[in-house]
Amino acid sequence: MEKVLIKRIYDLVMIISYISASDGTIKWMLDNDFENNLDKSQLLWDKDCIPSLLTCGSLCNSNPSCRAFFYHPSLKKCIGSQSYKRGLPSGQSMQLGWNYYTRSQECDGDYTFNKTLGLCFKIHPETKTYQEAMNACEAEGAKLIIIRNEIEFVQVCNALKAAGQLTFPFNGLRKTFTNGIAIWKSWNGQTTTYLEWEPGAPDNLGGQDNCVFFVLSAGAQYKFNDIDCSRNNSFVCQANV
């Protein structure tokens, strides 16, 4: 027990030293509340012969895609990940000495950090048009939130329910046309394949329903529906950390 305590103190001293030596824009925190579900598809590297925690942290610090890293001081192994999803490498157990560090969970202003998504987000209850909402998010260094998969959809919907937000907030999707075919894209120009439409949607009911918002459907479950971009709705912003 004493050796474990000494090692933890050493790790904390090392990571504090690393923080003070950095440029102040990225902070790392020790987080050994593991789950055994590391998403290996999110790994950036698995390196041997890394001499120290500082060296491993520096590798992650210099890579904008790196959001977390594992370090094993005895094995001198360093594993970088672009996901906050936690777990131990290769089914190892915590007793073997793996430590896990994530970027700081601090968000600017009144944004809330979501570790599953690895981003900060904010629900705006005030209503704006789609473009006004985009401008408001950008003024805060953020963007309208985009949903790429079921995990992100569930996390955002849970946050909306917890906030009691029922006024149909915009997300970052818009309809474009390619050879006369409607395609839904996010503000970064990427085609969206995950579309959780409510039954009957999209219906282009107003003739110019080119934006997407969250709507409470049957069973008080959020779904997507299309809407005129000039309508005033609440909205959700996202910001990377």
Side-chain angles (χ1 to χ4, degrees), residues 78-91:
C78 174
I79 297 177
S81 174
Q82 58 185 334
S83 171
Y84 282 102
K85 193 172 184 180
R86 294 171 290 177
L88 289 170
S90 306

Side-chain angles (χ1 to χ4, degrees), residues 30-32 34 38 79 96 104 119 122 127-129 164 184:
L30 180 65
D31 182 355
N32 277 333
F34 289 108
L38 179 66
I79 297 177
L96 294 181
S104 170
L119 54 80
K122 176 181 177 181
T127 61
K128 296 181 182 294
T129 67
W184 296 94

Side-chain angles (χ1 to χ4, degrees), residues 45-129:
W45 65 76
D46 184 345
K47 296 180 180 290
D48 296 313
C49 302
I50 302 301
S52 69
L53 170 66
L54 286 176
T55 304
C56 185
S58 294
L59 288 171
C60 209
N61 193 45
S62 62
N63 187 327
S65 297
C66 186
R67 291 178 172 172
F69 66 90
F70 294 89
Y71 185 68
H72 196 300
S74 298
L75 300 178
K76 305 298 182 186
K77 287 182 68 69
C78 174
I79 297 177
S81 174
Q82 58 185 334
S83 171
Y84 282 102
K85 193 172 184 180
R86 294 171 290 177
L88 289 170
S90 306
Q92 302 284 350
S93 64
M94 187 172 173
Q95 287 74 15
L96 294 181
W98 287 103
N99 283 314
Y100 173 67
Y101 297 86
T102 67
R103 289 181 187 254
S104 170
Q105 300 177 21
E106 298 172 359
C107 296
D108 293 335
D110 50 358
Y111 276 68
T112 300
F113 180 79
N114 184 293
K115 193 159 194 173
T116 301
L117 303 183
L119 54 80
C120 300
F121 68 90
K122 176 181 177 181
I123 299 171
H124 281 264
E126 72 271 24
T127 61
K128 296 181 182 294
T129 67

